[in-house]
Amino acid sequence: MKTPRGLTLLQTQRWAGTLTAAFGFLACAVSGEMGPAMTALFPLAVAGSAVAGRRFHGRMQWGWTVLLVGALLVLGVQVFAGQIDIILAAALFAELLCIHRLWHRRTERDELLLLLLALLLLCAGAALSAEVTFGFAFLAFAVSGTWALALTHLRFAIEEGRGPAGSAALLNSRRVATPALLGGLAALAFFGIAGAALIFLTFPRVTIGGLRRASRPAPIAGLGDRVDLSRHGTVADDPRVILRVRLDPAPRGEPRDLAMHWRARTLSQWTGHGWQSPDGGLIPVLRLPQRPPRGRGVPSVLSADIEVVGQFTDGVVFTPEGWPLGVDFRQPGTPRPAARRLYRNAAGDLFYQPVDSGDVRYSVVADTDEPDPARVRGRGQRYPSWVEADLAVPASLDARVRALAERLGAGKDPADAAAAVERWLATALRYTRDLPGDVADPIADFLFVRRAGHCELFSSAMVLMLRSLGIPARNVTGYFGGRRTDAGYYAVRAGDAHSWVEVYFPDAGYVRFDPTPASERGGRQEGFQARMVLLWDSLQQRWRAFVVDYDLVSQAQAMRRIGQLLHETGRRLAGKDGGTGRLRRVIAAAGGVLVTASVIAWLRRLRGRARKGQERELTADQRRAAALWRVGRRLLRSAGIEIAVGTTAGELARRVPAAAGLVRAYAAARWGGRRLPPRVVRATLRELRSGLRASAGRDI
Amino acid sequence: MTPDEGAAPARITPLGSPLTAQEARRIVSALEANIGRALKGKQEIVELALASLAAGGHLLLEDVPGVGKTTLAQALARSLDLSFARIQFTSDLLPGDITGVSVYDQARNSFVFKPGPLFANLVLADEINRTTPRTQSCLLEAMAEGQVSVDGAGRPLPAPFMVLATQNPHEHAGTYPLPESQLDRFLLRLSVGYPPAEVERELLLGGGTQLELMHLHPVASAQDVRRLQAAAALVTVAPEIADYVLAIVAATRQTPLVSLGASPRGAIALLAVARARALLRGRGYVEPDDVKELCVPVLAHRIALAGRGPGGGELERLAAERVVRDLVEQVPVPE
């Protein structure tokens, strides 16, 4: 019997109910749709009910009724006016009812109603958000709900069976709702969830997503259609995931960081301080322009399955390196026609419409065989008229820029000139994330004053230098890189934004040059926050793949994969597959380890049980009592009193009256389980010492 | 026993809620005072008799005639509002004389059972060793199981049921010593002993015990006794106390002085009386003292000393008590 610690049965039951309601509310709140006021209201109400709930029970019922009816009216009007949808209104009203019940909990009916309202909140939460955060709230709800149901029934069964007076001791006992009981119930809840998950995975799926709603539009500008080079501050790392990319074929060696330019759009008009996209509208694309005939080169095709995160969609279609051959907006595995159509502008950038705030997923097939500068050499400088915009040199261009360009590229073939400028920029200048600030000519400042800058300055300088040599070039923005995640896709983060150069060569089209030093392209995001963001993103993707978007097709695929795995394993175990001795050895070793471990665990348990039989567990009070008795006997022995092994405490007390107090305190605590605070131990020993001194004095 | 924190864990209440330690103490003090008016100067014996009652066991009083054995039994019966019967055991007593017999009822044309004197709450079996083993053995079932079998039918005895048997250790002629199985069924064996001199003087000068007995009034009901017995069974026993009991019993089995040690029934009896005595003293838990002080009355009649027969004679008794007392002193008290 241990000293009781922790909460009483009654307290645990009340807290389990409150916790269940809180998790139900959390399942709704994580959707972020309840609004700050209603979100803040619930924690305040819980705190208030914990402090003053009992005092309010049964009082001001009319006040609550008026409040709730008023809220119902307001919500009804809002629903009819189309301000909020009915599911959200229901969630808000359920929250208010839940708060009301939290403040009025006495009977079994109150408690069960509270749990029912919490369940309603959870259901509303499922409709409001299908994110992984809801999954966590659901798990917590399942555990605390099991506690609450079990303890509520226990409590009221006790009250009913024993009456209010008879049940008080049991309800206030700290030995009922022990961690062992709560742990067992939690394990039960987890078993239940595991069983439900198994059914979810194996039972044929009929429908999903019917209740799923698009999340609230919160557009954040992705890549704008203009760039201003003379800004202040530094380029900040932004770990938010923008693109999720799966490549087919997978990049060789599956590197941790992908070296890939994700092209977004062209910015070719110089504004004096930066760039803007060329004028002109969008035209629908039926077929993408054909690639100019190549000389030699092995055709190689890459398919990129790109998913743009909803917040960052602005209608641009990202393309991987290479010449895009086709864009497909159809969802993989669904026969539904695509909801979006492809467009392009005069510069050949690809767009889609309509644009909404949901995630956009499409696959781009590209010919990755890119002409290198050597292969576009000697194509002359007879440019078609539609590239003239890419030859425009601003009148205000610093003479030193032109002079530098001529020093590097005058008289050379355009391909060599471009390569020379690219090489010079990458080696002679330094990369920095510090922005130049408000300068008159950012290019001249970058090239001749600071001699350091970020990617946009590198690419802008190269474009202007090539244009001053009469070579058509343009500035291109997009992202560079991609970090591998453990969910099987590459994540391109907002901090990976990049800018580079495309140079036009007759009969070859635009060829990509990147003057930014290779080690500085894209973001280098290794911080804790960046890792956590990636981890969270991959977790969300798994949740979506295995729960939200888990339909009959994925179920069949998963079953087939499991079947294949079993078949394969069986075949290997049967030894029908040559060279599988390793697998057998691994399984045998694992089995051996398992058996050894269980034998060790069993032996330890046996030993533990034997030891437990020898030295019984004592409470703190009993240990103190035993210690008091030992010290007391030592004192008595040193006072010359003989104590045999068979002498009991009572006999000693009769023989030595000074020890009566010691014996009383010891026996009551040691055998009767009474309290023995250290204070009493000290007082008893003091009394014994003075008693012994007094009797010694009498003897003399 | 109070259900406060730190005490025993909450228990399921049996039928007829047990007395609390305070209630038990109150009833027991009233009983002790009441019985003490008739049997003066024998508080210890009275307490042990009440402990035996609370533990639901039977009592063997072994002493010379005229020291108050019968007075104790009668005082107990009168104080408790229980039915009382006295059976004088003689060599010609037959089992039917004490259990009752079936007689033919002409009016009903069937046999009707006429209960014997055993059908009482408190039975005084006087001079129990004077009757034949045949009659003695019919007490076995009654004492162990609380029922008698007559004509093949078991008939329950009233509850509570307690046998107070007496025997005179000084007479051997015409007696049949109790068999071990019978002795083992007595929870306690007590020797009343002579009263202190001043009490004896008072007896001579006063009106005598018979008058006092006539004036005794019941202070507890049969229901109180049942609740007392239920409460005694619930007294907390720490595992170390049980180990102590086992160690003492084991000591009686291991010593060469004893040819037959105490039985497991003896160990159970020791703990049961210790519980009852703890309750009588207003405690909800057993201390080592309870066990140690009860070893002699509980165990002495259950052992057979090496080289001697069981249970016979005053000297045997004294020797057995001495052996038990010495053995207990050797057993370490749990701390």
Side-chain angles (χ1 to χ4, degrees):
Chain A
M1 281 183 281
K2 290 203 166 155
T3 314
R5 238 180 241 147
L7 297 177
T8 66
L9 171 60
L10 201 59
Q11 286 167 329
T12 319
Q13 183 264 333
R14 287 187 73 86
W15 274 111
T18 309
L19 216 56
T20 307
F23 285 128
F25 166 75
L26 200 65
C28 279
V30 290
S31 71
E33 298 200 26
M34 297 186 95
M38 290 300 279
T39 308
L41 181 63
F42 193 85
L44 289 177
V46 168
S49 77
V51 175
R54 272 155 199 257
R55 235 174 291 153
F56 275 84
H57 181 89
R59 290 201 203 160
M60 303 204 305
Q61 280 294 357
W62 60 269
W64 280 98
T65 310
V66 167
L67 210 68
L68 289 173
V69 170
L72 188 63
L73 282 176
V74 169
L75 288 170
V77 167
Q78 281 184 316
V79 168
F80 273 109
Q83 285 179 343
I84 59 176
D85 77 11
I86 192 154
I87 291 180
L88 181 59
L92 292 176
F93 191 61
E95 182 196 340
L96 289 175
L97 287 176
C98 210
I99 289 172
H100 170 235
R101 209 37 72 181
L102 273 174
W103 281 68
H104 299 85
R105 302 167 67 178
R106 190 154 294 182
T107 63
E108 185 172 15
R109 193 173 139 269
D110 292 333
E111 296 287 344
L112 294 180
L113 270 177
L114 177 68
L115 297 183
L116 189 68
L117 287 167
L119 184 67
L120 277 179
L121 277 173
L122 185 80
C123 294
L128 289 177
S129 95
E131 297 303 315
V132 64
T133 40
F134 171 79
F136 288 127
F138 177 85
L139 263 182
F141 180 91
V143 173
S144 68
T146 309
W147 289 340
L149 265 181
L151 294 176
T152 302
H153 283 300
L154 186 62
R155 173 189 158 187
F156 289 102
I158 290 171
E159 284 188 0
E160 198 182 12
R162 303 176 65 128
S167 59
L170 207 48
L171 291 181
N172 290 320
S173 165
R174 293 171 203 274
R175 295 179 197 280
V176 184
T178 53
L181 177 74
L182 297 181
L185 286 173
L188 208 65
F190 276 119
F191 269 121
I193 293 168
L198 198 67
I199 289 176
F200 178 88
L201 284 173
T202 53
F203 201 77
R205 302 298 298 275
V206 185
T207 173
I208 190 71
L211 276 175
R212 199 177 151 203
R213 303 151 73 256
S215 43
R216 193 167 33 138
I220 293 175
L223 291 168
D225 54 2
R226 54 173 60 240
V227 162
D228 188 359
L229 291 177
S230 47
R231 282 169 299 167
H232 292 271
T234 54
V235 180
D237 269 344
D238 186 345
R240 287 180 297 175
V241 175
I242 289 193
L243 305 179
R244 300 186 192 104
V245 191
R246 295 166 183 83
L247 295 179
D248 182 20
R252 196 177 303 156
E254 304 227 343
R256 184 160 159 273
D257 281 298
L258 209 58
M260 173 72 82
H261 290 82
W262 300 99
R263 188 185 189 283
R265 64 166 94 207
T266 308
L267 300 172
S268 56
Q269 277 188 16
W270 179 250
T271 60
H273 282 284
W275 299 95
Q276 67 180 30
S277 56
D279 302 324
L282 299 179
I283 50 167
V285 177
L286 298 178
R287 275 183 59 206
L288 286 174
Q290 277 206 323
R291 170 163 209 169
R294 284 178 300 244
R296 54 192 175 84
V298 192
S300 61
V301 171
L302 173 78
S303 169
D305 178 1
I306 298 174
E307 190 178 351
V308 190
V309 176
Q311 289 177 310
F312 301 98
T313 52
D314 64 347
V316 180
V317 173
F318 291 91
T319 54
E321 291 171 4
W323 188 277
L325 301 175
V327 178
D328 191 355
F329 283 100
R330 279 177 304 182
Q331 294 297 311
T334 56
R336 270 184 293 185
R340 299 184 175 86
R341 292 197 57 194
L342 191 64
Y343 293 81
R344 55 173 290 227
N345 66 2
D349 305 333
L350 299 178
F351 298 88
Y352 66 86
Q353 278 185 346
V355 180
D356 60 34
S357 58
D359 289 3
V360 180
R361 190 167 179 181
Y362 48 84
S363 60
V364 179
V365 179
D367 180 351
T368 57
D369 181 36
E370 287 197 297
D372 56 28
R375 277 176 28 210
V376 291
R377 198 181 291 148
R379 305 228 173 191
Q381 285 193 288
R382 295 182 52 203
Y383 300 114
S385 59
W386 52 268
V387 299
E388 263 166 27
D390 292 339
L391 282 164
V393 180
S396 61
L397 186 67
D398 195 300
R400 288 175 295 173
V401 177
R402 194 182 293 275
L404 176 64
E406 287 186 349
R407 181 163 69 76
L408 290 170
K412 287 185 185 168
D413 185 90
D416 293 332
V421 171
E422 183 192 39
R423 197 165 50 245
W424 183 83
L425 284 168
T427 52
L429 299 179
R430 200 165 48 79
Y431 183 88
T432 173
R433 289 170 171 269
D434 295 327
L435 294 170
D438 207 358
V439 290
D441 186 341
I443 301 299
D445 176 69
F446 165 63
L447 287 175
F448 306 114
V449 181
R450 293 173 71 226
R451 298 184 65 84
H454 59 283
C455 57
E456 283 170 349
L457 286 167
F458 278 91
S459 64
S460 304
M462 178 163 172
V463 169
L464 291 180
M465 283 160 77
L466 290 181
R467 284 186 184 182
S468 71
L469 290 174
I471 302 170
R474 61 189 187 183
N475 194 28
V476 178
T477 60
Y479 294 93
F480 180 85
R483 169 66 53 88
R484 196 182 63 222
T485 66
D486 53 2
Y489 61 90
Y490 282 89
V492 179
R493 277 86 56 89
D496 294 336
H498 190 47
S499 148
W500 59 94
V501 178
E502 283 178 353
V503 183
Y504 183 83
F505 295 97
D507 302 328
Y510 284 97
V511 176
R512 190 186 68 248
F513 287 82
D514 194 341
T516 309
S519 60
E520 304 289 355
R521 293 171 194 166
R524 286 287 174 274
Q525 306 187 60
E526 305 287 351
F528 176 74
Q529 193 205 351
R531 279 163 198 269
M532 286 299 112
V533 167
L534 265 193
L535 188 70
W536 183 245
D537 195 70
S538 63
L539 202 63
Q540 277 183 314
Q541 292 315 302
R542 281 172 193 273
W543 169 263
R544 190 189 291 180
F546 288 111
V547 180
V548 180
D549 290 340
Y550 187 77
D551 55 10
L552 202 56
V553 176
S554 8
Q555 191 173 26
Q557 283 171 349
M559 289 302 123
R560 197 174 306 138
R561 214 173 304 146
I562 290 173
Q564 276 174 352
L565 203 68
L566 289 176
H567 180 70
E568 189 78 1
T569 314
R571 232 163 52 96
R572 287 188 174 196
L573 282 178
K576 288 185 183 156
D577 200 22
T580 52
R582 220 183 95 218
L583 181 68
R584 279 180 166 190
R585 276 200 298 277
V586 165
I587 289 182
V593 167
L594 208 67
V595 168
T596 316
S598 45
V599 165
I600 289 174
W602 182 65
L603 284 177
R604 287 182 61 155
R605 213 175 140 189
L606 273 189
R607 243 179 61 194
R609 210 179 275 168
R611 201 180 302 138
K612 210 171 175 185
Q614 284 160 10
E615 35 182 274
R616 277 158 184 127
E617 283 183 29
L618 296 183
T619 67
D621 286 309
Q622 285 178 317
R623 277 198 298 276
R624 268 198 294 277
L628 169 68
W629 182 232
R630 280 195 292 275
V631 174
R633 274 187 313 181
R634 211 163 48 233
L635 286 175
L636 289 166
R637 283 212 182 93
S638 60
I641 293 157
E642 201 181 306
I643 305 168
V645 283
T647 305
T648 63
E651 290 166 345
L652 195 66
R654 280 192 291 280
R655 223 167 73 205
V656 186
L662 167 75
V663 166
R664 236 184 352 259
Y666 155 73
R670 178 65 185 86
W671 308 115
R674 300 289 188 275
R675 301 291 312 276
L676 185 66
R679 171 174 53 79
V680 176
V681 171
R682 287 192 295 273
T684 309
L685 286 175
R686 251 198 320 275
E687 189 194 325
L688 176 66
R689 282 199 193 92
S690 66
L692 286 174
R693 266 199 302 276
S695 62
R698 272 202 303 281
D699 287 350
I700 295 162
Chain B
M1 267 210 341
T2 51
D4 64 355
E5 76 233 306
R11 290 172 191 277
I12 305 301
T13 314
L15 294 170
S17 63
L19 298 173
T20 64
Q22 286 80 14
E23 286 171 333
R25 180 75 207 122
R26 208 168 49 241
I27 288 177
V28 166
S29 334
L31 280 173
E32 282 175 347
N34 219 34
I35 299 171
R37 280 165 58 198
L39 188 70
K40 294 189 172 70
K42 288 290 170 196
Q43 286 88 347
E44 266 180 55
I45 298 299
V46 172
E47 187 188 30
L48 288 175
L50 288 175
S52 175
L53 177 74
H58 310 288
L59 206 55
L60 179 63
L61 297 166
E62 198 170 287
D63 223 325
V64 292
V67 290
K69 301 189 290 279
T70 315
T71 310
L72 171 64
Q74 284 184 334
L76 197 58
R78 280 179 173 272
S79 304
L80 282 173
D81 194 15
L82 297 177
S83 60
F84 174 68
R86 174 178 178 151
I87 310 168
Q88 192 65 45
F89 280 60
T90 54
S91 55
D92 56 354
L93 196 73
L94 291 175
D97 297 336
I98 59 171
T99 59
V101 287
S102 295
V103 294
Y104 186 67
D105 185 343
Q106 274 195 322
R108 295 197 201 162
N109 195 17
S110 65
F111 282 93
V112 176
F113 180 68
K114 289 267 182 207
L118 209 50
F119 285 81
N121 293 118
L122 222 54
V123 176
L124 175 61
D126 213 8
E127 308 267 13
I128 192 171
N129 57 344
R130 286 203 169 275
T131 194
T132 55
R134 183 185 173 203
T135 311
Q136 281 175 3
S137 64
C138 86
L139 273 178
L140 282 179
E141 187 190 4
M143 289 167 71
E145 287 157 38
Q147 66 163 18
V148 289
S149 299
V150 179
D151 297 337
R155 296 177 193 280
L157 295 167
F161 174 72
M162 182 179 180
V163 173
L164 285 99
T166 70
Q167 64 177 356
N168 183 347
H170 277 280
E171 288 178 81
H172 292 292
T175 63
Y176 303 89
L178 291 177
E180 278 147 27
S181 59
Q182 180 94 45
L183 278 173
D184 208 19
R185 279 172 172 72
F186 284 103
L187 192 63
L188 297 175
R189 180 176 69 176
L190 302 176
S191 163
V192 178
Y194 296 113
E198 64 271 27
V199 172
E200 209 167 350
R201 182 167 178 271
E202 206 180 309
L203 279 175
L204 293 178
L205 297 175
T209 54
Q210 210 54 39
L211 195 65
E212 290 282 1
L213 268 179
M214 304 294 273
H215 288 284
L216 286 190
H217 293 291
V219 292
S221 65
Q223 173 72 4
D224 285 337
V225 174
R226 281 192 288 270
R227 292 176 65 201
L228 187 69
Q229 289 177 344
L234 292 184
V235 168
T236 308
V237 173
E240 293 83 353
I241 300 279
D243 292 341
Y244 184 47
V245 169
L246 291 176
I248 290 170
V249 172
T252 67
R253 296 172 191 163
Q254 284 156 6
T255 173
L257 296 173
V258 174
S259 64
L260 180 67
S263 61
R265 197 205 309 259
I268 294 169
L270 182 52
L271 203 53
V273 188
R275 280 186 153 121
R277 199 189 84 141
L279 182 69
L280 258 45
R281 299 197 166 181
R283 263 187 283 117
Y285 55 91
V286 175
E287 290 179 3
D289 283 284
D290 297 319
V291 174
K292 190 177 176 186
E293 287 170 23
L294 288 165
C295 280
V296 171
V298 174
L299 296 180
H301 64 286
R302 293 170 198 264
I303 61 171
L305 293 183
R308 306 186 198 196
E314 173 104 62
L315 287 177
E316 301 284 338
R317 179 171 68 83
L318 291 175
E321 287 181 2
R322 165 128 229 159
V323 165
V324 171
R325 202 172 293 126
D326 290 350
L327 279 177
V328 173
E329 284 299 335
Q330 310 295 321
V331 177
V333 178
E335 52 177 56

